């Protein structure tokens, strides 16, 4: 399975100003896509691999610098044991199969998430991918695996509490910046554009801190049918929005 790399696809990225620096994606709709075709849910996850690679290539082409995808949430453990086993094994296989290609594209891979419960073999593949691609800078590709927004904030608060108890931090030292510096990836910029595929309109405990001022795009296309053109359309719509970050502009009618 070979995905056309950046610049190799018949479609070319539009030349637009104001491309979001950080795009996050909730890759939803795999199961529904498969069931609608009389297939088990796991086949939807398989089909999503090509969508992911094409989207990464599209992000590189249009100039996105940080791309974060929700690969497996802390709540996904509630799914059937069969589906959880598949997702764990498949995540490991995709990393092993695709990391060399991503490395050739200049992509740097990062893992965001908790270690407990996550298969050791998956952790090993994530760490191997991080090590292989650590010198790359064209695109930071963040895989949120065993990740939850509340869990991330809880882990940061727990670390702060431990530092206060040890006398390493005072109560006055607990600032927004202090919390941010204890998140899983403190150097990553806040999310500019959050995309959810599959038609649902919620953020499902994803990047709660980082999405404080993100713009949202709820794309009805199921993840297996998403591609670089869909990404570019979502980014083009984003560039037409006015981001004020809590500020306001006076626009009196007739003046």
């Amino acid at each position: 399975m070979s995905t056309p790399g950046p610049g190799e696809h018949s479609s070319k990225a539009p030349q637009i100003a104001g491309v979001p620096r950080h795009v996050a994606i909730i890759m939803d709709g795999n199961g529904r896509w498969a069931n609608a075709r009389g297939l088990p849910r796991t086949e939807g996850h398989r089909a999503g691999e090509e969508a992911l690679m094409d989207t990464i290539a599209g992000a590189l082409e249009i100039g996105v610098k940080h791309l974060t995808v929700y690969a497996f949430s802390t709540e996904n453990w509630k799914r059937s044991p069969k589906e959880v086993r598949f997702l764990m094994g498949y995540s490991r296989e995709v990393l092993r199969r695709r990391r060399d290609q991503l490395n050739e594209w200049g992509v740097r891979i990062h893992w965001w998430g908790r270690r407990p419960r996550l298969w050791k073999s998956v952790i090993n593949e994530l760490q191997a991918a991080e090590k292989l691609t650590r010198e790359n800078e064209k695109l930071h590709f963040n895989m949120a695996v065993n990740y939850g927004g509340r869990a991330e904030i809880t882990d940061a608060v727990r670390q702060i509490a431990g530092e206060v108890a040890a006398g390493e931090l005072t109560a006055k030292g607990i600032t927004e910046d202090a919390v941010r510096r204890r998140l899983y990836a403190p150097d990553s910029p806040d999310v500019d554009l959050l995309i959810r595929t599959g038609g649902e309109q919620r953020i499902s405990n994803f990047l709660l801190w980082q999405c404080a001022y993100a713009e949202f795009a709820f794309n009805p296309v199921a993840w297996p049918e998403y591609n670089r053109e869909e990404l570019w359309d979502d980014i083009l719509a984003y560039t037409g929005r006015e981001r004020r970050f809590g500020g306001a502009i006076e626009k009196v009618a007739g003046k």
Side-chain angles (χ1 to χ4, degrees):
M1 192 184 308
S2 180
T3 304
E8 299 175 354
H9 197 272
S10 57
S11 298
K12 301 302 179 184
Q15 300 299 308
I16 56 177
V19 171
R21 186 181 181 196
H22 188 174
V23 174
I25 303 180
I26 300 174
M27 306 178 291
D28 195 22
N30 291 341
R32 295 189 297 278
W33 178 89
N35 290 166
R37 288 159 177 76
L39 302 170
R41 290 175 53 85
T42 52
E43 291 306 306
H45 298 308
R46 288 189 192 279
E49 178 182 347
E50 189 65 21
L52 176 60
M53 294 300 293
D54 201 60
T55 299
I56 294 172
L60 280 161
E61 286 183 298
I62 204 168
V64 172
K65 294 301 182 183
H66 299 261
L67 178 66
T68 305
V69 298
Y70 212 0
F72 189 90
S73 78
T74 49
E75 288 75 34
N76 285 159
W77 295 104
K78 299 174 184 177
R79 296 188 178 186
S80 71
K82 179 181 178 181
E83 186 170 357
V84 169
R85 284 195 302 272
F86 174 85
L87 289 170
M88 287 291 102
Y90 193 58
S91 295
R92 178 185 59 207
E93 292 167 16
V94 169
L95 279 163
R96 187 178 300 161
R97 184 165 54 244
R98 296 292 195 168
R99 67 187 179 200
D100 288 338
Q101 186 177 15
L102 292 175
N103 187 45
E104 291 173 4
W105 290 358
V107 175
R108 184 171 181 178
I109 300 171
H110 305 270
W111 165 40
W112 297 3
R114 280 180 164 177
R115 295 179 69 94
R117 298 188 73 180
L118 193 57
W119 287 11
K120 183 173 175 51
S121 59
V122 176
I123 293 174
N124 289 341
E125 290 298 334
L126 286 162
Q127 292 178 332
E130 287 182 321
K131 183 177 180 180
L132 174 69
T133 63
R134 64 188 174 189
E135 301 299 324
N136 297 335
E137 293 295 335
K138 287 185 179 179
L139 174 69
H140 290 263
F141 174 55
N142 312 306
M143 295 186 67
V145 184
N146 198 26
Y147 174 89
R150 288 181 175 180
E152 179 179 28
I153 294 170
T154 299
D155 289 346
V157 171
R158 183 180 294 118
Q159 182 180 341
I160 287 171
E163 292 174 16
V164 170
E168 299 168 359
L169 184 68
T170 66
K172 288 185 178 180
I174 304 173
T175 62
E176 284 190 16
D177 186 62
V179 176
R180 180 193 59 77
R181 285 187 283 107
R182 289 159 179 82
L183 299 176
Y184 297 151
D187 295 328
S188 180
D190 283 348
V191 174
D192 297 302
L193 174 62
L194 173 67
I195 300 168
R196 182 175 187 138
T197 64
E200 300 291 347
Q201 298 188 19
R202 55 180 178 272
I203 63 173
S204 298
N205 195 24
F206 187 42
L207 302 177
L208 300 180
W209 182 280
Q210 297 87 344
C211 282
Y213 279 100
E215 297 290 328
F216 293 171
F218 297 108
N219 194 310
V221 171
W223 178 247
E225 296 178 350
Y226 200 80
N227 54 35
R228 68 186 78 190
E229 289 93 346
E230 291 287 343
L231 173 69
W232 297 339
D233 285 345
D234 286 334
I235 288 176
L236 186 60
Y238 160 88
T239 61
R241 300 180 186 179
E242 186 177 300
R243 304 183 74 201
R244 296 191 296 271
F245 300 96
I249 300 174
E250 192 78 65
K251 291 186 178 180
V252 180
K255 293 186 179 181

